[in-house]
Amino acid sequence: LAKTTQPISMDSYEGQEVNITCSHNNIATNDYITWYQQFPSQGPRFIIQGYKTKVTNEVASLFIPADRKSSTLSLPRVSLSDTAVYYCLVDLVSGGYNKLIFGAGTRLAVHP
Amino acid sequence: EPEVTQTPSHQVTQMGQEVILRCVPISNHLYFYWYRQILGQKVEFLVSFYNNEISEKSEIFDDQFSVERPDGSNFTLKIRSTKLEDSAMYFCASSEAPGLVSNIQYFGAGTRLSVL
């Protein structure tokens, strides 16, 4: 599985847009890029997944350049409740199961 | 929205005792997983389960651990003889058969296991 690198922490203020970039230089052709969010003492929660270009859902956008060696999670107009740890993962399309390998994630703190 | 449910939310046990952590995966999902997270550390993969057998397990998942799907809805993790270092949050996850797209895993809220 490709290793990912993301900032350890970020700070933002309510109402701002937050962009968290993840590097995955060794991403394989069949890998998808998936982001999870985790609040303290809760399980990781799926946010968004993409393969290339841009994906948007009701929560976030995911930007993936053509070479797919990085990706950026964009959270529009964050609120205090977006304070959490955000994980970038790449996972193999295998036709079967796959284990998720979590890194340390990015700890986002949203301030009033 | 369908969700993975885990019980109990907190389990306190004495060292050497057996514990069973229970999970009800999302009903149409076929792949099941257990992860753990020691306080302040990363989420770690323990085991994956499909078609009533273990698909893969990590080095953490030693002979003290076992998993079972006793009926059509529950998925359990048993720790035979708990150690202090087993204290952690244990998360169950499930995913659909992925087919041609990457499977998204949905996690439960976790069971906090405290071994005294």
Side-chain angles (χ1 to χ4, degrees):
Chain A
L1 293 171
K3 182 180 175 181
T4 61
T5 304
Q6 53 184 122
I8 294 173
S9 64
M10 293 182 71
D11 289 273
S12 185
Y13 293 91
E14 284 189 290
Q16 290 189 336
E17 178 183 82
V18 170
N19 296 307
I20 307 174
T21 297
C22 177
S23 297
H24 25 81
N25 290 320
N26 296 323
I27 192 168
T29 304
N30 289 339
D31 284 341
Y32 271 68
I33 299 152
T34 311
W35 286 79
Y36 282 82
Q37 173 193 58
Q38 187 181 27
F39 299 113
S41 298
Q42 294 188 28
R45 185 175 78 102
F46 170 79
I47 302 175
I48 198 166
Q49 183 180 77
Y51 184 78
K52 62 180 178 180
T53 62
K54 178 185 174 182
V55 180
T56 297
N57 62 20
E58 64 277 6
V59 176
S61 294
L62 179 60
F63 298 91
I64 305 168
D67 66 5
R68 303 198 332 118
K69 292 183 184 300
S70 66
S71 59
T72 299
L73 174 73
S74 180
L75 305 172
R77 296 180 299 281
V78 293
S79 63
L80 296 177
S81 63
D82 292 315
T83 294
V85 179
Y86 292 82
Y87 299 98
C88 165
L89 298 98
V90 292
D91 55 338
L92 181 65
V93 174
S94 65
Y97 73 95
N98 65 286
K99 62 185 179 189
L100 295 179
I101 306 296
F102 286 84
T106 296
R107 192 171 296 274
L108 173 66
V110 180
H111 306 281
Chain B
E1 181 179 307
E3 58 179 22
V4 175
T5 57
Q6 291 185 242
T7 55
S9 56
H10 190 190
Q11 174 86 50
V12 181
T13 190
Q14 295 290 324
M15 192 169 56
Q17 294 296 303
E18 175 183 286
V19 294
I20 297 177
L21 310 183
R22 302 180 192 280
C23 170
V24 178
I26 294 173
S27 62
N28 64 333
H29 286 187
L30 300 178
Y31 296 82
F32 315 115
Y33 313 81
W34 284 100
Y35 294 81
R36 81 168 186 194
Q37 186 174 33
I38 295 171
L39 185 64
Q41 298 187 23
K42 295 186 287 189
V43 177
E44 299 174 288
F45 168 78
L46 291 179
V47 65
S48 57
F49 190 87
Y50 170 68
N51 200 25
N52 283 318
E53 59 183 28
I54 290 174
S55 306
E56 185 176 357
K57 58 184 180 179
S58 72
E59 61 276 6
I60 302 169
F61 194 89
D62 62 21
D63 292 344
Q64 293 300 313
F65 291 87
S66 63
V67 289
E68 191 178 27
R69 187 152 163 84
D71 52 45
S73 59
N74 290 284
F75 179 52
T76 62
L77 174 70
K78 182 193 292 186
I79 308 176
R80 213 158 281 122
S81 177
T82 51
K83 308 189 223 13
L84 294 175
E85 54 265 36
D86 293 326
S87 295
M89 284 288 284
Y90 288 81
F91 297 111
C92 173
S94 69
S95 62
E96 294 179 274
L100 296 176
V101 297
S102 181
N103 56 340
I104 297 167
Q105 294 183 27
Y106 295 90
F107 285 75
T111 293
R112 178 174 299 283
L113 176 64
S114 299
V115 182
L116 307 179

